[in-house]
Amino acid sequence: MKRNGKHIFKGIASAIIPGLGQVFNKQFLKAAIFFVIFSIFLGVELATSHYFVTVDPYDKLTEETGELFTDVFSENFYKYYAYQKAADEVDFPDFEAYYATANADDVFSMRELLEYIGEEIVGASTPRYFVLSTDLVATDEGMGTSNTGEILDTDLIIGTDDDAIGAMNFTHVKIGITIYMSNDVEYYRVITGSDETRQVFYVNVNDSTDVIYDVTGFTEYKRTDSLYYDSSLHIVYIKSTISDSVLGSSDYRYTNVQDSSDFYDAKDSANFDYFNSLEKLEIKGDLVFSGSGDLYVRYIPELSYDMVHGYNGTAFTDYFRNYVTMRYNANTSFDSGNYNRMLIEVYFSIHPELRTAFETQYYNFFYDKAGAFTKGIWSLITLGTTEKVVYNYKSLHDPLKSVAFTESGITYAAVSGILDETPLIGHVSSYLLIQGLIYTLLLAYFILIYIWGIIDAYKTSKRYDETKKFVKDVEWLRNIFTHGFEYFMMLPALFVITFITVMPILFGFLIAFTSYSGFDSDSGLFTWVGFSNFTRIFSFGEGIPFAETFWSVLSWTVIWAICSTATVFFGGMFLAVVINSERVPFKKFWRTFLILPWAVPALISQMAFSVIFSDRGVINAILDKLGFYDVFQNWGILGVAYNADTMTAFQKLFYLGYNNIQWFSNANNIWFVRIALIVINIWLGAPYFMALMTSIMTSIDRTLYEAADIDGATKNQKFKFITFPLVMYSTAPILVMTFSGNFNNFGVIYFITQGGTGAGDIDTAFAGSTDILISWMYTLTVSKKVYNMASVFSILIFLLVGSIAAWNFSQTRAFKED
Amino acid sequence: MATFKIILIVMSAIVWISWFTVDLYKIKKQQSKNILEDVKPDLKEFLRQNKWAILLSLLKRAIFTAIIAGSIYAIVYFSIQSVLFRTITLIVTFVALWVFMFIIDLYKMNKELHENVFENIQPDSKEFMHRYKWAVLLSLIKRAILAAIIVGASYAVIYFSIKSLLFRAIAIIFVIVVLWLTHSGITGEIFEKKGYKKITGNLMGFIPIYGLIYAIKLRPHKQILPGAFKTIIGFKEIMMKMMTFGMLTAALGIVAFPIVYLIGSSFTDTSDLPTLLWPTSDLFTWQNYVSLFEDTKFFVWYKNTFIIALLSMLLGVIFVTGAGYVFARFKFKGKKAGLMAILVLQVFPSFMGLIAMFTLFQVFGLLGKPTWLTVLYVGGSVPGNIWLIKGYLSQIPKDLDESAMLDGANKFQIFFKIIMPLSVPILSFVAVGLFMAPWMDYMLPKYLLDVQLAGSTDPDSVQKQWTIAVGLFSMIQNPQSSSYTMFASGALIVAVPITILYMIFQRYLIEGIAAGATKG
């Protein structure tokens, strides 16, 4: 008992500090090695971490290399403001009140200043409806109200006058989009979702519950964003280009926004004068009209769809803007990064919920602070939590963007490089998954070594008890050298295998359990979805038809693998038998020549076949010259357009094509294409088997045949009982290899047919008529980016083919011997 | 029609002469029976004695040949004129052939029945039917199908020969080649029967007609039995010969066709799809090869692929050799597990790692840099190559190692000085495999080397990343902007060295793969 306790104690010692147990065992070198490895582990973890460094999420927003907007800046601004307002003889009581509160702690910080500016801007930019006044001036000063945000009594303010607004029954005039009109009813197009969930439908402009799906025959108005105003009649026209089947070419039409039957076509010369009298309307807001026919402009700052509508500034904000510009000109270390950061701060102060979201999302303990190994494990579990976001603050440009100005004879230049938006890439799940995998694998190695250290301490201690001898360090080194030779030699290969072979396979395996698909997911988030991808194979009739397509592609793949292997095998055997028969002289010549298809690289011949068998290719040209085209045309299987209703069964069964024999583009007779592929594959594969079998046949012992002759066997019997079994026995493993090779024969399908008709169509889940599993998966991965389903299929292929190949391999003598 | 007439006349002449010769031979044989062995009959004497017989024979055979030729001509003529006649002829021929073959079968079955039963029991037709009814039915069906095929094929051949000049030309060439080869085969066998080397006979047989005569006149080296030649010139035998050579010639044509087309179209001057097997003289040009290097980035692709191939060959061999040696020679903890792992890894489709590799490359910014593909090729080949090397090295006897150890060598020395030199064959096999892999790979380069590099001002930067496979396919992929002739020339430049290499090492490569599978 006590004795065991000592060993366990040493083991535990090594558990606490690797190497300690070895020290107790008086094996100092070993202890040093274990400890060093442990320190490397710790070192990597700490070096890649930010445990002891402050991480500021705001640093992710923009690159700031110049002077920051520090509190010094805001203090100095106050001084400038005080001076300026005195000079201009104006007062800003609201700001004074604010300043008094903010400066209570004797510090007027930048953040406090920007908060105030945010409030100021919001106050000046109330969302509201204002009337298109009768004495409109077509400038960028709006109508009846100025750019500085002055609110008139007649303005209807959203949030305050909602009842009146609702009673007015406003209709929004959509500009810059395409309208489909029929019978005076206008519809605009809506596209929702992407890829699998994509839907297109058309909504009535005046009634959003009226939705239709087909606009063939409708007149198409491509509305520009130009509005024209008839001041005397108070009518606004919108300019559109129209195209419909009747009118043909597109032309300009000016349509009354309130009454689409009132329009003028530009090509009617009678209208020229009238158009010239119209004024172009530049408004800051959306054009709307009420149910009673009054025209209003709806102003909502930051409406995003055309980005015309921004916030309004005030005189105070002008001060601020000028001050910034002055400092920019004075201090060349100030750059646009600082400016953009400042704009974002104002943006956040206007939208505090965005600020909170930003701070929680972009300051993640595991992502930002943790070391590589911790982060790795977290990545594997959560696959990232922060979505990407774009902060679009163009609407702040009007009040806050730096503009050049002149004051007291000095011209100050505007700050350049101010951005409209700042995109932030959140966590990218695919990167996290890979990094997680790599670090977890490394962690596994370290843990192995750690456990080895514990066990070693325990065991050595035990051995000491038994032998009363500690293995001296020197001896131990020599031992390693002689016994560890094999491990050293394997090390490079082992390393390579782990990270270049195992890790990608694990990655591919794991993806099948995620939602990694679609064009956004490459740089965005996806999540673990468990086995739901696998059950999709069995869920028929939902969304993209993966289930139906999978089973049909799988069945074709199996048929293809079997047929192509069988035809190639027996074709080669047939050729080998013919060449090998006694009648044939110059066997070597025949063999050498007939093996050419194998010698030519498969890639080249596959591509060549796609050219040879193309619709206008040489095979069709020759068949035409040989007279086959006439025969086929007489039989009605060539030269007629496919018509399922009027064609006979014979025609349908053997339909070849329209102008030419469509070897691989025959959409109506896919079995024709498939059989053609199998036949062409014979050219590609039979020569190899022929050569193989001839060499086997020539090595069969002659005496067997002679004995058979004595027994009176006929030629057929000799073949059936001697040649065939021996050849089969020798080539069986290769047959299995060829089967699994053909199952995954990407080149033949892809190069010759590119998947066949329907490849890439969403209706057939992106699979073409001749696609086999692997070429379908390739399209899914590379073109359509549906990674998770592709991974699911590759796992299934592996299970199917891999087990066959593994069984095949395990039958070989080499494996059994070991 | 004119060609047909000429052919018919020539064939009739041949048939007449050969028939007549057979008659002559028969007469001569009969003669020699009547004369004593040692007196040599001479030609003049022979003619004088048998002039009436000879003349009669000439006339007889001429009439027979004329009748046959005439009926053939009439049948063809009327078949062309009248559909009804054609149909009737076809049906009659079909039925006649069918019945003929069926009766032969019946006869054979009857013979067999007689042989199997005791001589004194007389089998009657009832017994016959009882025993053989299934065989009879089977034979009926078999022969019907065979007759249909023969009649149908002949009809098709005749029909197309009439319709199309090209078909006629091909058919004639085909028939001539087959006849020529048959002729050579017969001559060879005659030589063999007479005790000479068969090969010489075959070569002699390449000289038409004279070769055959030479073979017949040849002095035999060994004793020949009277019935010896029957096996060579029997009808069935000649038919079989012609069929064999026919199939081989057809195979030859099929094999050669795409290759000749590829070569031909690389020399064709057309901006569209070349539709001729070989360009006519006015369309012949070397321009395609020039444009290949001037207008496309072919050279860049070639360079990329070459560098990748070279690097993966060198690095791959280095990584794999040590590990393979260890697995072959030593027993160590985890060996069995390691082998299983390698086996399992090898059967994973390389596809599974594709997405991971893409993401990995993206993270490290390696997308679009061809040289880094080497990493993938080396990594992917490690499991399989370890297996190959292990298999090869396990055949080297362990005694070598042991005697070296007795001499005091340590493990490193053994490895470098003894094992490495011996494993040159398998290492070169592995090296060649590693070298060849990138040339023929499309999936990986298309996915990883087809990206718009951010910040690149070169409009061709995407194309410059490609390897040969991607580049060549891009030339024919897009129907609007394809250049098929340039593709052909590029394809040839890539394919010819590889083909030559494979042809030279074919025996080694084919059996190597086979051996690898069976013997490990």
Side-chain angles (χ1 to χ4, degrees):
Chain A
M1 264 312 177
K2 230 198 220 161
R3 292 183 157 192
N4 230 15
K6 196 163 59 172
H7 312 316
I8 293 179
F9 168 71
K10 288 190 188 148
I12 294 178
S14 257
I16 301 174
I17 301 181
L20 195 56
Q22 276 77 15
V23 168
F24 290 140
N25 279 336
K26 300 218 178 39
Q27 290 175 314
F28 296 106
L29 194 59
K30 233 201 248 181
I33 292 180
F34 277 114
F35 189 70
V36 162
I37 293 180
F38 178 67
S39 347
I40 293 178
F41 166 75
L42 267 186
V44 169
E45 171 77 8
L46 289 175
T48 54
S49 75
H50 297 104
Y51 289 121
F52 308 108
V53 179
T54 38
V55 171
D56 185 4
Y58 287 89
D59 286 333
K60 295 190 189 152
L61 284 172
T62 51
E63 282 284 314
E64 281 195 319
T65 54
E67 172 199 303
L68 297 162
F69 279 98
T70 57
D71 296 343
V72 174
F73 184 91
S74 44
E75 302 270 351
N76 287 335
F77 167 71
Y78 184 72
K79 296 188 190 120
Y80 167 80
Y81 151 80
Y83 166 80
Q84 200 64 24
K85 84 166 176 166
D88 293 342
E89 290 167 8
V90 288
D91 199 12
F92 296 94
D94 293 330
F95 179 62
E96 294 296 336
Y98 182 83
Y99 181 74
T101 338
N103 207 22
D105 53 352
D106 244 357
V107 175
F108 184 51
S109 70
M110 198 61 206
R111 172 132 334 158
E112 286 165 341
L113 173 61
L114 292 178
E115 290 262 349
Y116 179 74
I117 290 183
E119 279 174 31
E120 179 95 351
I121 292 176
V122 170
S125 322
T126 328
R128 62 198 195 277
Y129 291 79
F130 48 93
V131 176
L132 204 59
S133 68
T134 51
D135 50 356
L136 165 74
V137 176
T139 65
D140 59 356
E141 288 218 343
M143 300 159 295
T145 59
S146 76
N147 221 1
T148 55
E150 221 182 286
I151 299 174
L152 299 181
D153 293 334
T154 49
D155 289 353
L156 294 167
I157 298 177
I158 294 175
T160 318
D161 302 317
D162 285 346
D163 292 335
I165 293 172
M168 302 277 262
N169 203 6
F170 283 114
T171 309
H172 177 204
V173 176
K174 295 193 184 330
I175 61 175
I177 62 170
T178 308
I179 297 274
Y180 300 87
M181 183 165 89
S182 162
N183 298 332
D184 289 341
V185 184
E186 296 173 331
Y187 296 87
Y188 63 93
R189 184 173 64 181
V190 175
I191 304 176
T192 58
S194 68
D195 290 333
E196 5 193 294
T197 53
R198 191 171 190 265
Q199 271 190 307
V200 178
F201 48 90
Y202 301 86
V203 180
N204 190 329
V205 167
N206 290 328
D207 176 9
S208 55
T209 55
D210 176 13
V211 173
I212 61 174
Y213 296 92
D214 182 20
V215 291
T216 44
F218 284 36
T219 312
E220 199 179 283
Y221 287 76
K222 278 204 183 64
R223 282 193 178 167
T224 64
D225 48 11
S226 304
L227 293 166
Y228 292 86
Y229 186 59
D230 182 337
S231 45
S232 49
L233 297 173
H234 297 305
I235 300 180
V236 174
Y237 291 93
I238 184 160
K239 180 175 173 184
S240 356
T241 53
I242 60 165
S243 56
D244 69 0
S245 46
V246 174
L247 291 173
S249 63
S250 48
D251 217 328
Y252 287 126
R253 173 175 286 192
Y254 296 81
T255 316
N256 185 336
V257 295
Q258 289 172 287
D259 178 9
S260 49
S261 60
D262 176 18
F263 59 82
Y264 295 91
D265 284 331
K267 61 180 172 24
D268 294 336
S269 49
N271 298 325
F272 277 169
D273 292 334
Y274 182 63
F275 289 133
N276 288 338
S277 72
L278 293 179
E279 290 143 6
K280 188 145 196 255
L281 200 54
E282 304 280 357
I283 52 174
K284 203 166 155 75
D286 295 323
L287 186 65
V288 293
F289 55 92
S290 69
S292 51
D294 298 318
L295 290 164
Y296 282 75
V297 176
R298 178 175 70 188
Y299 177 75
I300 301 181
E302 259 193 280
L303 260 189
S304 61
Y305 83 96
D306 62 2
M307 285 321 298
V308 169
H309 317 119
Y311 287 97
N312 286 333
T314 63
F316 181 78
T317 58
D318 279 346
Y319 277 7
F320 178 75
R321 188 160 68 179
N322 292 345
Y323 183 65
V324 174
T325 313
M326 283 168 60
R327 287 299 298 270
Y328 171 72
N329 280 264
N331 187 343
T332 51
S333 70
F334 178 127
D335 73 2
S336 56
N338 308 120
Y339 206 96
N340 287 318
R341 177 75 73 86
M342 188 266 293
L343 285 174
I344 295 178
E345 284 279 349
V346 177
Y347 188 70
F348 276 159
S349 66
I350 298 179
H351 300 277
E353 74 280 4
L354 285 179
R355 187 198 288 275
T356 349
F358 169 72
E359 281 178 358
T360 41
Q361 296 262 304
Y362 280 84
Y363 181 69
N364 184 311
F365 173 75
F366 288 104
Y367 188 82
D368 298 306
K369 281 186 92 85
F373 294 106
T374 328
K375 185 170 166 187
I377 298 179
W378 169 81
S379 311
L380 273 187
I381 298 175
T382 63
L383 288 180
T385 50
T386 305
E387 299 229 357
K388 58 183 174 202
V389 71
V390 175
Y391 293 120
N392 192 317
Y393 41 85
K394 188 175 174 190
S395 47
L396 288 173
H397 278 197
D398 272 345
L400 288 180
K401 188 170 180 175
S402 158
V403 289
F405 70 100
T406 308
E407 186 181 83
S408 342
I410 309 174
T411 308
Y412 297 94
V415 180
S416 62
I418 300 178
L419 302 170
D420 292 343
E421 59 187 27
T422 299
L424 283 183
I425 298 184
H427 297 164
V428 182
S429 291
S430 48
Y431 294 4
L432 285 178
L433 186 58
I434 277 231
Q435 284 169 348
L437 263 180
I438 292 179
Y439 284 111
T440 311
L441 282 173
L442 272 178
L443 185 66
Y445 273 128
F446 279 113
I447 290 182
L448 270 171
I449 296 179
Y450 176 70
I451 293 180
W452 182 24
I454 298 176
I455 295 181
D456 176 75
Y458 179 78
K459 280 212 176 129
T460 328
S461 170
K462 237 186 165 171
R463 211 184 303 139
Y464 170 72
D465 255 7
E466 289 157 14
T467 65
K468 290 287 186 245
K469 203 165 51 147
F470 276 124
V471 180
K472 285 252 179 68
D473 280 333
V474 179
E475 253 183 73
W476 177 72
L477 266 180
R478 213 180 294 147
N479 248 355
I480 293 268
F481 198 61
T482 36
H483 284 139
F485 171 77
E486 34 269 25
Y487 293 102
F488 281 144
M489 292 303 271
M490 279 214 306
L491 224 52
L494 197 66
F495 194 73
V496 165
I497 289 186
T498 317
F499 289 101
I500 299 186
T501 316
V502 172
M503 194 274 291
I505 292 177
L506 276 179
F507 185 86
F509 183 77
L510 288 173
I511 283 188
F513 297 94
T514 67
S515 63
Y516 188 10
S517 109
F519 284 89
D520 284 335
S521 54
D522 261 338
S523 52
L525 290 178
F526 51 84
T527 54
W528 296 109
V529 292
F531 281 96
S532 70
N533 286 333
F534 286 91
T535 54
R536 248 168 113 179
I537 298 183
F538 299 100
S539 54
F540 295 88
E542 281 176 26
I544 300 188
F546 279 114
E548 295 95 333
T549 320
F550 173 72
W551 292 107
S552 83
V553 170
L554 179 67
S555 54
W556 161 238
T557 313
V558 170
I559 294 178
W560 156 259
I562 295 178
C563 286
S564 56
T565 314
T567 50
V568 157
F569 183 79
F570 288 108
M573 178 180 280
F574 175 74
L575 274 177
V577 165
V578 167
I579 293 183
N580 224 31
S581 81
E582 288 155 0
R583 291 185 202 103
V584 175
F586 308 118
K587 291 197 194 349
K588 221 164 179 197
F589 164 76
W590 294 106
R591 247 178 51 186
T592 315
F593 199 93
L594 288 179
I595 211 182
L596 262 180
W598 169 79
V600 174
L603 192 88
I604 306 280
S605 29
Q606 283 154 5
M607 290 190 201
F609 272 119
S610 87
V611 173
I612 291 176
F613 280 93
S614 71
D615 287 355
R616 295 172 296 118
V618 65
I619 289 269
N620 280 343
I622 290 185
L623 282 180
D624 194 3
K625 280 194 220 150
L626 286 179
F628 284 95
Y629 265 36
D630 295 326
V631 175
F632 292 142
Q633 276 164 349
N634 281 340
W635 287 350
I637 56 180
L638 182 68
V640 288
Y642 189 84
N643 188 330
D645 304 317
T646 58
M647 290 175 96
T648 66
F650 172 76
Q651 281 177 308
K652 274 195 252 187
L653 196 61
F654 290 100
Y655 185 70
L656 290 176
Y658 188 36
N659 282 325
N660 291 295
I661 301 182
Q662 293 168 315
W663 294 98
F664 300 122
S665 52
N666 195 333
N668 308 110
N669 198 346
I670 48 172
W671 280 103
F672 174 66
V673 180
R674 290 175 172 179
I675 294 179
L677 261 183
I678 294 181
V679 169
I680 290 177
N681 189 51
I682 299 181
W683 189 94
L684 291 166
Y688 171 75
F689 274 97
M690 173 207 75
L692 195 64
M693 288 182 192
T694 13
S695 65
I696 292 178
M697 279 187 205
T698 47
S699 65
I700 293 180
D701 210 349
R702 286 277 147 228
T703 55
L704 282 170
Y705 289 115
E706 286 165 23
D709 274 334
I710 295 177
D711 285 340
T714 67
K715 246 190 175 157
N716 275 345
Q717 284 171 322
K718 273 197 271 188
F719 180 75
K720 208 162 89 168
F721 293 110
I722 302 177
T723 323
F724 189 72
L726 281 173
V727 164
M728 277 300 281
Y729 179 75
S730 309
T731 55
I734 302 187
L735 198 62
V736 177
M737 245 168 52
T738 313
F739 177 80
S740 51
N742 268 332
F743 198 87
N744 282 340
N745 195 340
F746 175 76
V748 169
I749 306 291
Y750 191 77
F751 291 125
I752 301 186
T753 67
Q754 283 103 61
T757 51
D761 279 349
I762 197 170
D763 305 317
T764 54
F766 311 113
S769 53
T770 54
D771 259 328
I772 56 176
L773 275 176
I774 192 145
S775 59
W776 182 31
M777 277 157 47
Y778 190 72
T779 313
L780 281 179
T781 307
V782 175
S783 321
K784 305 294 169 187
K785 307 228 187 250
V786 184
Y787 300 110
N788 53 352
M789 293 312 289
S791 272
V792 167
F793 298 145
S794 71
I795 291 180
L796 291 173
I797 290 185
F798 159 67
L799 288 175
L800 259 169
V801 176
S803 41
I804 297 178
W807 172 82
N808 190 29
F809 235 69
S810 66
Q811 299 292 340
T812 63
R813 241 181 288 155
F815 187 73
K816 284 189 182 147
E817 268 167 14
D818 272 340
Chain B
M1 265 329 256
T3 340
F4 176 68
K5 279 192 219 159
I6 297 176
I7 293 179
L8 194 60
I9 293 177
V10 167
M11 290 301 297
S12 333
I14 294 178
V15 166
W16 181 30
I17 293 181
S18 33
W19 219 342
F20 174 64
T21 319
V22 167
D23 271 355
L24 270 186
Y25 181 70
K26 277 208 211 127
I27 296 174
K28 175 162 181 278
K29 235 177 74 165
Q30 216 178 23
Q31 276 272 313
S32 57
K33 277 198 196 141
N34 301 335
I35 303 180
L36 294 168
E37 293 288 345
D38 42 72
V39 176
K40 249 219 157 100
D42 83 312
L43 194 61
K44 260 215 201 114
E45 179 72 20
F46 178 76
L47 281 176
R48 194 176 58 83
Q49 283 196 332
N50 299 297
K51 57 176 178 272
W52 293 117
I54 292 172
L55 222 57
L56 188 63
S57 149
L58 213 62
L59 213 57
K60 252 194 339 190
R61 299 313 181 193
I63 297 177
F64 281 161
T65 320
I67 294 177
I68 296 174
S71 19
I72 293 180
Y73 184 76
I75 292 177
V76 170
Y77 181 77
F78 283 112
S79 304
I80 295 181
Q81 304 287 40
S82 141
V83 179
L84 185 64
F85 189 89
R86 210 183 305 166
T87 330
I88 294 178
T89 323
L90 276 177
I91 295 178
V92 166
T93 328
F94 169 70
V95 171
L97 202 57
W98 183 20
V99 168
F100 179 64
M101 289 195 282
F102 179 61
I103 289 187
I104 294 183
D105 274 353
L106 279 181
Y107 178 68
K108 275 204 235 153
M109 283 192 262
N110 196 26
K111 221 171 92 163
E112 201 185 304
L113 182 65
H114 273 98
E115 281 168 3
N116 292 338
V117 176
F118 289 120
E119 293 290 346
N120 43 20
I121 300 178
Q122 203 61 310
D124 64 349
S125 55
K126 255 217 204 115
E127 174 79 15
F128 179 80
M129 278 315 289
H130 170 73
R131 277 221 191 165
Y132 284 98
K133 63 172 177 280
W134 291 120
V136 167
L137 209 61
L138 191 66
S139 152
L140 211 61
I141 297 174
K142 263 200 323 195
R143 297 314 180 185
I145 297 175
L146 196 60
I149 293 177
I150 294 178
V151 168
S154 331
Y155 176 70
V157 168
I158 297 176
Y159 177 80
F160 283 112
S161 311
I162 296 178
K163 278 279 165 107
S164 152
L165 195 63
L166 183 64
F167 189 93
R168 223 177 294 167
I170 295 180
I172 291 178
I173 295 178
F174 184 75
V175 167
I176 290 181
V177 169
V178 170
L179 283 176
W180 192 34
L181 286 171
T182 321
H183 179 270
S184 151
I186 294 179
T187 322
E189 287 187 356
I190 295 180
F191 265 62
E192 194 185 27
K193 277 264 162 24
K194 294 196 176 168
Y196 290 91
K197 281 179 86 101
K198 195 167 174 198
I199 291 286
T200 334
N202 288 322
L203 286 171
M204 268 316 277
F206 279 137
I207 310 172
I209 312 226
Y210 176 70
L212 193 62
I213 298 177
Y214 180 83
I216 295 175
K217 278 193 154 178
L218 204 55
R219 245 212 154 91
H221 264 178
K222 52 181 198 181
Q223 190 75 348
I224 304 184
L225 302 165
F229 288 111
K230 258 228 184 78
T231 55
I232 303 178
I233 56 175
F235 176 74
K236 192 158 178 225
E237 182 61 28
I238 294 194
M239 273 292 117
M240 289 299 287
K241 270 210 182 49
M242 291 201 357
M243 256 192 14
T244 313
F245 285 118
M247 287 192 283
L248 280 179
T249 318
L252 211 65
I254 294 175
V255 159
F257 178 80
I259 298 174
V260 170
Y261 173 70
L262 202 63
I263 302 179
S265 57
S266 76
F267 289 120
T268 309
D269 179 21
T270 165
S271 58
D272 194 11
L273 206 53
T275 53
L276 295 170
L277 187 61
W278 193 263
T280 55
S281 52
D282 60 323
L283 289 175
F284 192 94
T285 172
W286 291 91
Q287 182 60 28
N288 292 321
Y289 288 92
V290 177
S291 329
L292 189 67
F293 286 97
E294 281 176 9
D295 296 338
T296 64
K297 306 267 167 311
F298 188 77
F299 186 69
V300 177
W301 301 333
Y302 204 89
K303 188 172 59 117
N304 284 343
T305 323
F306 190 80
I307 293 176
I308 297 177
L310 200 64
L311 273 179
S312 46
M313 178 173 86
L314 294 170
L315 289 175
V317 171
I318 294 176
F319 273 110
V320 162
T321 314
Y325 172 58
V326 161
F327 271 103
R329 271 287 183 267
F330 301 100
K331 289 211 179 336
F332 53 90
K333 224 190 324 202
K335 180 173 181 185
K336 194 84 185 223
L339 276 176
M340 256 327 271
I342 289 181
L343 189 70
V344 169
L345 281 179
Q346 206 184 353
V347 301
F348 269 98
S350 64
F351 188 81
M352 276 187 88
L354 203 63
I355 308 169
M357 278 300 136
F358 184 77
T359 313
L360 203 63
F361 273 39
Q362 206 175 22
V363 167
F364 289 110
L366 299 174
L367 280 179
K369 305 212 170 87
T371 327
W372 283 95
L373 232 57
T374 315
V375 165
L376 294 183
Y377 288 117
V378 169
S381 74
V382 163
N385 283 334
I386 287 186
W387 191 263
L388 268 176
I389 295 186
K390 166 195 166 315
Y392 184 84
L393 288 181
S394 21
Q395 291 177 13
I396 296 181
K398 287 211 167 106
D399 311 334
L400 270 175
D401 284 30
E402 286 165 17
S403 51
M405 262 200 270
L406 284 174
D407 286 341
N410 68 13
K411 286 192 182 162
F412 277 109
Q413 282 174 324
I414 296 178
F415 177 69
F416 280 110
K417 295 220 165 115
I418 301 180
I419 302 291
M420 288 277 280
L422 279 178
S423 42
V424 164
I426 192 67
L427 282 185
S428 17
F429 184 78
V430 164
V432 166
L434 280 168
F435 188 80
M436 298 288 10
W439 294 91
M440 296 301 119
D441 187 27
Y442 180 82
M443 282 174 88
L444 244 57
K446 178 75 183 156
Y447 192 35
L448 296 170
L449 291 179
D450 199 21
V451 287
Q452 277 295 343
L453 292 170
S456 165
T457 50
D458 188 354
D460 296 326
S461 68
V462 176
Q463 283 201 11
K464 284 209 184 124
Q465 303 160 8
W466 289 346
T467 60
I468 283 281
V470 181
L472 277 179
F473 194 54
S474 74
M475 283 199 236
I476 57 172
Q477 199 175 11
N478 189 351
Q480 275 79 34
S481 65
S482 324
S483 42
Y484 299 97
T485 48
M486 272 208 287
F487 160 74
S489 42
L492 275 181
I493 293 182
V494 172
V496 166
I498 300 178
T499 312
I500 295 181
L501 223 77
Y502 267 56
M503 294 296 270
I504 295 178
F505 292 110
Q506 55 171 277
R507 171 160 249 134
Y508 183 60
L509 285 168
I510 294 181
E511 289 175 16
I513 301 172
T518 55
K519 299 189 225 137

